[in-house]
Amino acid sequence: QKEVEQDPGPLSVPEGAIVSLNCTYSNSAFQYFMWYRQYSRKGPELLMYTYSSGNKEDGRFTAQVDKSSKYISLFIRDSQPSDSATYLCAMSAQRGSTLGRLYFGRGTQLTVWP
Amino acid sequence: DAGVTQSPTHLIKTRGQQVTLRCSPKSGHDTVSWYQQALGQGPQFIFQYYEEEERQRGNFPDRFSGHQFPNYSSELNVNALLLGDSALYLCASSLERGWVGYGYTFGSGTRLTVV
């Protein structure tokens, strides 16, 4: 079992739709939960992060973490064509031998069409 | 303030050859991590360097080696290249002190193609 599972999609939605992206994980030591956006042939850029459980909102984006279910989500409201990219979830532990290492999902490819 | 700089951007090598990729971290960062991202996959951790030493290593063979210099820049070396080594190689820098999970800055990567 991989440490982080993410449905690769692809996901195609019309402009203005609400998008839901999800990841599950198996390592209960993960405390930092990040969402990265990656455009084609570019490096990942940090979109949002959450520490431990809870919700976090930033403009059209909302990140949710449910540690009891080992499940994280990213919601995009009023999606725009410029949101078309691959979205990667990533996680890391706060301490221990793997401190400083990120574990990524395989990414979900999103296309928002006008 | 410059971000993470990687060179070269693209590279084509033949099976069996050796390759060196380079990374300059973001100003103020002292830790460099390398990730391999195969097509359609998420980045996989190769190793991390701090204070010129390899501190952590992922599940990669010894053909993958690295180095960190006193100015914090880093190199990734891959020997005896295989077709399966074709991937985007990402360098990420961070600050050791007060490390937080979201404290990475990624470069744009080096696209390596092995033929």
Side-chain angles (χ1 to χ4, degrees):
Chain A
Q1 181 186 10
K2 293 188 70 174
E3 301 231 37
V4 180
E5 298 280 359
Q6 182 177 10
D7 186 341
L11 195 57
S12 181
V13 301
E15 183 175 356
I18 296 175
V19 176
S20 173
L21 306 170
N22 312 292
C23 290
T24 59
Y25 64 95
S26 57
N27 190 341
S28 58
F30 290 150
Q31 292 279 16
Y32 290 104
F33 303 91
M34 283 73 67
W35 286 95
Y36 284 85
R37 180 171 59 194
Q38 185 175 29
Y39 293 110
S40 181
R41 299 179 179 273
K42 297 293 185 183
E45 56 176 336
L46 182 67
L47 193 59
M48 292 190 70
Y49 71 90
T50 308
Y51 176 70
S52 194
S53 284
N55 297 351
K56 188 171 186 178
E57 186 172 326
D58 183 4
R60 297 184 294 109
F61 298 87
T62 299
Q64 291 184 351
V65 174
D66 181 349
K67 293 192 71 180
S68 63
S69 302
K70 296 187 174 63
Y71 187 87
I72 73 170
S73 302
L74 177 70
F75 297 95
I76 306 174
R77 292 182 300 280
D78 188 26
S79 56
Q80 302 295 309
S82 59
D83 295 329
S84 298
T86 295
Y87 289 79
L88 296 156
C89 63
M91 308 174 188
S92 65
Q94 187 180 13
R95 57 180 58 85
S97 62
T98 63
L99 179 67
R101 171 178 175 175
L102 294 185
Y103 294 81
F104 283 88
R106 63 181 297 182
T108 299
Q109 185 179 345
L110 172 67
T111 300
V112 182
W113 43 276
Chain B
D1 182 23
V4 176
T5 303
Q6 292 188 242
S7 63
T9 55
H10 296 85
L11 204 52
I12 300 175
K13 289 286 190 178
T14 304
R15 277 179 298 175
Q17 285 189 315
Q18 179 264 344
V19 68
T20 297
L21 311 181
R22 296 177 175 83
C23 172
S24 293
K26 179 179 177 179
S27 177
H29 283 181
D30 56 11
T31 303
V32 173
S33 302
W34 288 91
Y35 288 80
Q36 180 196 64
Q37 186 177 21
L39 193 63
Q41 301 295 320
Q44 297 294 312
F45 178 78
I46 302 175
F47 42 52
Q48 182 181 84
Y49 277 84
Y50 173 65
E51 291 189 336
E52 302 178 48
E53 291 192 357
E54 182 182 295
R55 185 165 63 174
Q56 283 190 63
R57 188 178 185 91
N59 189 26
F60 279 81
D62 292 344
R63 298 186 297 107
F64 290 77
S65 63
H67 190 77
Q68 186 180 35
F69 300 94
N71 66 353
Y72 307 122
S73 66
S74 178
E75 288 182 350
L76 164 65
N77 301 291
V78 186
N79 296 320
L81 285 167
L82 304 174
L83 294 179
D85 295 331
S86 296
L88 181 67
Y89 287 85
L90 296 163
C91 173
S93 71
S94 56
L95 187 62
E96 165 67 9
R97 174 179 286 187
W99 183 87
V100 290
Y102 53 87
Y104 273 76
T105 299
F106 280 88
S108 292
T110 294
R111 172 74 59 183
L112 173 65
T113 302
V114 182
V115 297

